[in-house]
Amino acid sequence: MSHRVARVFLTVIAASMPALALAAVHDTVFRGTFEALDAADTAATDAQAARFLTQATFGPTVSEIALVRKLGYQHWLDRQLGMPITPARPHMQQLNTALNALVPSQDLSQDRRVDRFYHTAAYGRDQLRQRTAWALSQIFVVSDVNGAISGDIIQMTEYWDLLARGAFGTYRMLLNDVTFSPTMGKYLSHFRNRKAAGTRLPDENYAREIMQLLSIGLIERNLNFTPILLSGQPVPTYTQNTITEMAKVFTGFAYSDATPTNIFSGTNTYNPMSCVQNEHDIGVKTVLGGVVLPANAPCGIDVGAMLNVISVHQNVAPFISRQLIQRFVTSSPSSAYIQRVATVFNNNGRGERGDLGAVIRAILLDVDARNNAPPANFGKLREPVLRLTALWRAWDAVAPLPPANQPSMDIRISSQARGMSQTPMRAPTVFNYYVPDFQQPGPIAAAGLFSPEFQITNESTVWAVGNTLYNHSWNAYVGGTVRTDRPVLELAPLVALASNPAAMVELANQRMLYGTMTTATRNALTTMVTALGTASAVDKARSVVYATSLSPEFATQR
């Protein structure tokens, strides 16, 4: 039944659908509930509210759409920016204890960490914080494919919590927390990095990547991200000698409970690392921008000074702002959009630099983001993770209940979604699942546009994503087979419309596509439902949901 539904839908739509590839602390005291909403801050329709939530959360829900319309964008953001974190590490520690009580010595797996991510993404109240952590995890990358941390399940959930806690703080503080994280230390090998001795030299990995990937990139940039040119050529941000000198700074790191003289001591695997002074290089260091760090500085002072040098570099604001815009709103932001956000990064209006909460607010409220009739070159291919979570949230999916012998209510998703090429904190390399500058060959590249998500889009992943959506729509609905491993969609509103195919399609349009369904898709879906004839109302409902989830409109975010 399901594959016949897909074939009917895809056959009808193929002839008429255009190609997919074209397609800190925040002061809110002056925005109390007594303040009237202005027109620019108000979602005039459910569709506008849903579009905003598609950018800001793991997917719109009926209740959240109503809340945005009631509060306006600013007040909704105020609530989210002030909402406490849904922590992952305490849950994983409790789960570990419970599993060991059931089966002594039973170990957690990284899959259980992934399961918890999906549960929080689907049901966590701190949607903006968690969505920001998801974006940051693709910049400050760690991955369990690395053998140094593949067994560190609880420690990796602490790293996720680190990103979530720092999501609305300052960039400088986040860079500090990431640098001192033992998970990052192991992943980029500055954990137990030792000063030069004999033929041994300090590991240069983190010194390189903190510049190339976490802060400034490879070439000097203007505030709008355009390259600075000298004699017509881009200007490099650093040299190999810069890396060599900076590697000396990142020496001496050890577990937080290491003894003052033994870098190999200690057992605390998730608290911020300490510095063992006798393994820290205390010589003069000429680092980024030619800044000289004096000799004989304590390790913590040396590292802090180095992070200060990085965080005030002119590239940081456009480099980080552009990537965050890509993760929330559009793959090819205009230079003006980047400059407006980068300006807020440099000064949040109170003279503070790197206020990530203010940056996220600027991204989501920018005139480009809130243009409800965006140009053809605006938007992004929706990440596989976000397609799945949006499906659950669109249909108020009911959380799974654990079996009698299991202590966790997590979504057991990781094994089902492996083929999507995007598992949280399981990127294949430090360069993430895709790179910010990837351009899909063909019309996208010819137009000078960027399309990071297309780098993991191929015949295999399209099939895998389709199968995952099938398992979480056609095979997962209230009233169907009882599921203990996945959310089940509440399809009653669609079932009630089963005698009216056009009405069913329109409801799917509003719930899943915030009213953007094209005439071609609408006609194809209506024809599909009509062709199902005497099929049950439930089968028609889940057919509409599954087929809509395969549509180009659902695959893209406009």
Side-chain angles (χ1 to χ4, degrees):
M1 175 66 178
S2 63
H3 292 290
R4 180 170 75 87
V5 168
R7 284 197 301 272
V8 170
F9 171 67
L10 293 173
T11 299
V12 173
I13 202 170
S16 54
M17 183 59 57
L20 176 61
L22 296 178
V25 175
H26 305 278
D27 185 1
T28 59
V29 68
F30 296 110
R31 284 199 296 274
T33 56
F34 57 83
E35 183 182 280
L37 301 179
D38 60 45
D41 187 44
T42 304
T45 64
D46 286 356
Q48 290 180 11
R51 181 171 180 267
F52 171 79
L53 291 167
T54 297
Q55 296 168 348
T57 72
F58 284 97
T61 64
V62 172
S63 59
E64 208 67 24
I65 288 169
L67 186 62
V68 168
R69 295 206 63 187
K70 175 183 176 181
L71 297 178
Y73 301 129
Q74 290 277 17
H75 284 287
W76 185 89
L77 287 169
D78 290 344
R79 282 196 177 193
Q80 286 289 315
L81 289 167
M83 196 166 288
I85 181 179
T86 301
R89 178 170 62 84
H91 172 86
M92 295 302 291
Q93 289 174 313
Q94 293 166 11
L95 176 60
N96 190 49
T97 300
L99 288 175
N100 274 277
L102 289 171
V103 181
S105 300
Q106 180 176 355
D107 292 326
L108 287 174
S109 68
Q110 291 287 356
D111 284 351
R112 297 307 292 266
R113 172 188 62 76
V114 176
D115 294 339
R116 190 57 189 173
F117 163 86
Y118 275 108
H119 198 281
T120 301
Y123 301 109
R125 294 184 64 242
D126 54 333
Q127 281 286 302
L128 182 63
R129 181 181 295 277
Q130 296 293 331
R131 177 70 187 272
T132 303
W134 173 236
L136 292 171
S137 75
Q138 298 186 53
I139 301 173
F140 300 89
V141 174
V142 301
S143 173
D144 66 17
V145 301
N146 184 305
I149 59 174
S150 59
D152 292 352
I153 294 88
I154 291 176
Q155 298 90 316
M156 284 192 69
T157 60
E158 169 58 25
Y159 185 81
W160 179 269
D161 286 350
L162 178 157
L163 296 178
R165 289 193 301 268
F168 307 142
T170 67
Y171 170 83
R172 171 63 179 80
M173 182 57 69
L174 181 62
L175 192 64
N176 181 86
D177 292 346
V178 165
T179 299
F180 280 89
S181 164
T183 301
M184 178 59 83
K186 293 177 184 179
Y187 182 63
L188 288 183
S189 55
H190 60 291
F191 172 67
R192 291 176 176 165
N193 190 20
R194 303 169 71 189
K195 66 183 180 182
T199 59
R200 185 187 69 219
L201 297 173
D203 187 286
E204 296 181 349
N205 205 19
Y206 190 65
R208 178 185 300 104
E209 307 304 358
I210 194 175
M211 293 187 290
Q212 180 178 350
L213 300 178
L214 311 189
S215 61
I216 62 174
L218 295 174
I219 63 173
E220 298 285 353
R221 301 279 183 178
N222 293 302
L223 192 60
N224 65 1
F225 197 72
T226 56
I228 293 174
L229 303 179
L230 181 62
S231 300
Q233 297 299 315
V235 181
T237 47
Y238 56 88
T239 66
Q240 175 57 43
N241 187 64
T242 310
I243 296 171
T244 300
E245 289 289 288
M246 286 178 58
K248 299 174 184 177
V249 176
F250 301 113
T251 52
F253 287 96
Y255 283 134
S256 62
D257 56 344
T259 63
T261 57
N262 185 359
I263 198 170
F264 296 104
S265 61
T267 59
N268 192 308
T269 57
Y270 55 80
N271 279 349
M273 292 186 292
S274 64
C275 253
V276 174
Q277 186 64 28
N278 68 354
E279 290 290 357
H280 179 68
D281 189 306
I282 59 172
V284 175
K285 308 169 190 73
T286 303
V287 296
L288 182 65
V291 174
V292 177
L293 301 184
N296 300 314
C299 179
I301 299 297
D302 230 11
V303 175
M306 182 70 261
L307 297 182
N308 286 341
V309 170
I310 293 172
S311 64
V312 299
H313 191 282
Q314 67 179 27
N315 270 30
V316 173
F319 185 80
I320 297 297
S321 296
R322 182 216 185 198
Q323 290 190 68
L324 290 175
I325 294 170
Q326 287 183 314
R327 300 277 58 81
F328 283 96
V329 178
T330 182
S331 294
S332 296
S334 67
S335 58
Y337 189 0
I338 296 172
Q339 181 163 336
R340 289 191 294 269
V341 175
T343 298
V344 173
F345 188 106
N346 284 337
N347 186 341
N348 64 359
R350 298 188 297 274
E352 298 165 354
R353 179 181 174 84
D355 179 347
L356 295 175
V359 168
I360 300 305
R361 187 191 294 271
I363 289 170
L364 294 172
L365 296 183
D366 189 84
V367 62
D368 282 8
R370 299 277 53 83
N371 179 3
N372 290 299
N377 63 356
F378 192 87
K380 63 196 292 284
L381 187 67
R382 198 180 299 200
E383 301 165 58
V385 163
L386 299 182
R387 290 177 69 181
L388 182 56
T389 59
L391 174 69
W392 291 330
R393 291 174 61 82
W395 297 104
D396 296 324
V398 179
L401 295 175
N405 65 341
Q406 291 289 325
S408 172
M409 291 199 313
D410 291 338
I411 297 168
R412 302 306 298 275
I413 175 65
S414 54
S415 61
Q416 303 165 33
R418 284 197 179 111
M420 297 197 304
S421 290
Q422 193 184 42
T423 299
M425 293 205 296
R426 194 171 291 166
T429 72
V430 70
F431 297 99
N432 193 28
Y433 314 101
Y434 31 66
V435 295
D437 293 332
F438 180 76
Q439 295 178 294
Q440 177 72 2
I444 291 178
L449 301 176
F450 300 97
S451 52
E453 297 83 358
F454 273 96
Q455 194 169 5
I456 58 170
T457 304
N458 52 50
E459 292 88 345
S460 176
T461 58
V462 167
W463 182 264
V465 170
N467 281 344
T468 300
L469 295 173
Y470 167 77
N471 286 328
H472 289 271
S473 58
W474 182 269
N475 274 348
Y477 60 95
V478 173
T481 303
V482 175
R483 310 298 316 201
T484 59
D485 64 343
R486 67 193 70 172
V488 288
L489 308 185
E490 179 51 81
L491 301 181
L494 272 176
V495 170
L497 300 172
S499 62
N500 187 339
M504 293 184 79
V505 171
E506 178 56 24
L507 183 58
N509 177 30
Q510 296 302 322
R511 288 283 189 100
M512 299 176 70
L513 307 177
Y514 48 84
T516 64
M517 187 178 289
T518 63
T519 300
T521 300
R522 186 187 306 275
N523 291 342
L525 286 170
T526 304
T527 298
M528 180 197 73
V529 178
T530 303
L532 293 176
T534 59
S536 71
V538 170
D539 281 356
K540 290 180 180 179
R542 54 188 180 149
S543 298
V544 168
V545 171
Y546 175 45
T548 303
S549 76
L550 299 177
S551 70
E553 289 100 319
F554 190 69
T556 55
Q557 176 184 310
R558 296 279 289 136

